[in-house]
Amino acid sequence: ALVISIPLSFFSGIGGASKAGILVKGSNYLELLGKAKIAVFDKTGTLTKGVFKVVETCADGISEDDLLELAAYGEYYSNHPIAASIKAAYKGTVQIDHLDGYEEISGMGIKVLKDGKEVLVGNKKLLDSRKISMAGAKQPSKVGTVLFVAENGAYKGCITIADEIKDGVKDAIASIKKCGIDNVVMLTGDKKEVADSVAKELGIDTVCAELMPGDKVDKVEQLLREKDEDSTLIFTGDGINDAPVLMRADVGIAMGAMGQDAAIEAADIVLIDDDPGKIAVAYAIARKTVRIVQQNIVFALAVKIIVMVLGALGFANMWAAVFADVGVAFLAIINATRALKP
């Protein structure tokens, strides 16, 4: 009964999860998920749609069209959603023969040569690293992700881009809290004002903003050290930068439809349709599966011990022994199949 029902319960739980559009790569991840008390989320592409739109431009010494042109040239080779929004806002055509020396600067932005002039497009850290001053420049008034643009060491302006929150995310956060998650954490490279705005709307407990890719791993390491020994931490992300964090977390969950291949490969659980609400479903399936396993263990051992004691006292016959062996195994199998229903 024990040998058959325990793995069968986990197989049934994995099967039930797959029916709900949740791919679990192993029974151990299902068990760890059921113990989760901390849920960590990446923001862009996970909690938000990753569909950005330019909502404000603040040019400094050039026209807004020229500012968008510089940004479009800088982001031309990038396939990031932010880059797509810049290229969509720029009404002109990028001439590839004017571009040279494309370089991605991890966690900060992009550097290109346009007609021999160095163009920088990225966050404030990028400009600070080159000691480019923004003194006296107009500041953005709208909340969003801000890209700063510089040409030949001179500040040219900034572009504010806003992202939409995914449908149902707020309900998903509320659901996982009801399931037993004590602390919901959001990690993002965005400005603190943007992150706080999203967190307030979604009901997120802890916000860690303005992070570089390596900082996300450090934050998860810190949370792992601070959590209780008998609880686990889950991380949900979709981008290539999330792969190291997905591997470091106790359970890594990736978005399957829009997620990067590296994130899907590194994750332990994959949400096929990118619905964050499925995290609460996966959590509930995991808890149910572990309960069924515990029920089978207690039931199988209890019946066998009782029949052995009765047999030693002369009260149990052969049919009682048959029930304690074959009958208990059969009932444990029937109980294990309950996990097939999400």
Side-chain angles (χ1 to χ4, degrees):
L2 289 173
V3 172
I4 293 173
S5 66
I6 294 174
L8 187 62
S9 299
F10 281 112
F11 294 158
S12 297
I14 292 171
S18 67
K19 286 182 181 179
I22 303 161
L23 174 63
V24 183
K25 296 184 180 180
S27 58
N28 53 323
Y29 304 124
L30 205 60
E31 185 176 8
L32 288 171
L33 179 60
K35 300 177 181 178
K37 293 296 181 184
I38 302 174
V40 185
F41 291 88
D42 177 56
K43 185 180 83 69
T44 304
T46 304
L47 299 177
T48 60
K49 293 181 179 179
V51 179
F52 294 86
K53 292 182 180 179
V54 174
V55 294
E56 185 181 19
T57 54
C58 299
D60 188 43
I62 60 174
S63 68
E64 292 185 353
D65 290 339
D66 289 340
L67 178 63
L68 283 172
E69 180 182 359
L70 287 175
Y73 271 87
E75 299 281 7
Y76 180 75
Y77 290 109
S78 175
N79 59 1
H80 193 279
I82 288 179
S85 69
I86 293 289
K87 289 180 276 191
Y90 175 55
K91 304 304 179 184
T93 303
V94 174
Q95 303 294 328
I96 303 177
D97 55 344
H98 290 235
L99 274 175
D100 192 20
Y102 176 86
E103 179 186 349
E104 288 192 21
I105 303 170
S106 179
M108 290 192 282
I110 291 170
K111 181 185 79 173
V112 297
L113 293 178
K114 176 181 178 290
D115 297 326
K117 297 179 180 179
E118 183 184 76
V119 176
L120 300 174
V121 183
N123 56 27
K124 192 174 182 296
K125 292 178 183 178
L126 178 60
L127 270 62
D128 290 343
S129 69
R130 303 302 177 95
K131 294 182 172 56
I132 298 173
S133 174
M134 295 180 287
K138 180 183 176 183
Q139 297 299 312
S141 59
K142 295 187 178 180
V143 176
T145 301
V146 180
L147 282 183
F148 298 91
V149 182
E151 183 182 33
N152 269 2
Y155 178 67
K156 295 298 180 183
C158 62
I159 301 170
T160 305
I161 299 156
D163 190 7
E164 291 183 72
I165 293 173
K166 281 185 178 179
D167 297 333
V169 169
K170 187 174 182 179
D171 292 336
I173 298 295
S175 296
I176 64 173
K177 285 185 175 182
K178 287 179 181 177
C179 287
I181 298 293
D182 296 331
N183 186 17
V184 180
V185 184
M186 183 178 74
L187 307 182
T188 178
D190 289 347
K191 290 174 62 178
K192 193 173 187 306
E193 295 83 358
V194 179
D196 288 342
S197 175
V198 173
K200 184 178 180 181
E201 184 173 349
L202 296 180
I204 289 171
D205 303 311
T206 307
V207 180
C208 302
E210 299 181 21
L211 300 176
M212 295 178 70
D215 296 334
K216 292 182 180 181
V217 179
D218 294 338
K219 284 292 180 184
V220 169
E221 292 276 7
Q222 180 184 338
L223 290 168
L224 286 169
R225 289 193 298 269
E226 293 174 352
K227 71 177 179 62
D228 297 333
E229 288 186 9
D230 58 345
S231 66
T232 59
L233 177 148
I234 60 176
F235 174 81
T236 307
D238 74 315
I240 191 168
N241 289 334
D242 298 327
V245 196
L246 286 164
M247 295 184 70
R248 184 61 192 90
D250 293 320
V251 181
I253 303 175
M255 298 296 183
M258 298 298 291
Q260 297 283 341
D261 290 345
I264 294 171
E265 181 69 24
D268 308 311
I269 298 174
V270 181
L271 306 182
I272 302 301
D273 56 2
D274 285 1
D275 179 6
K278 292 293 178 66
I279 296 173
V281 176
Y283 189 84
I285 290 172
R287 295 285 292 272
K288 179 180 179 181
T289 302
V290 171
R291 281 199 306 271
I292 290 172
V293 169
Q294 292 169 344
Q295 289 166 6
N296 282 343
I297 292 172
V298 172
F299 175 67
L301 292 178
V303 171
K304 289 176 184 295
I305 290 170
I306 290 170
V307 172
M308 285 174 67
V309 171
L310 291 175
L313 296 175
F315 294 109
N317 57 19
M318 181 61 70
W319 289 112
V322 170
F323 173 76
D325 182 29
V326 180
V328 168
F330 180 74
L331 291 175
I333 290 169
I334 295 298
N335 191 40
T337 59
R338 287 173 49 228
L340 280 168
K341 186 177 181 181

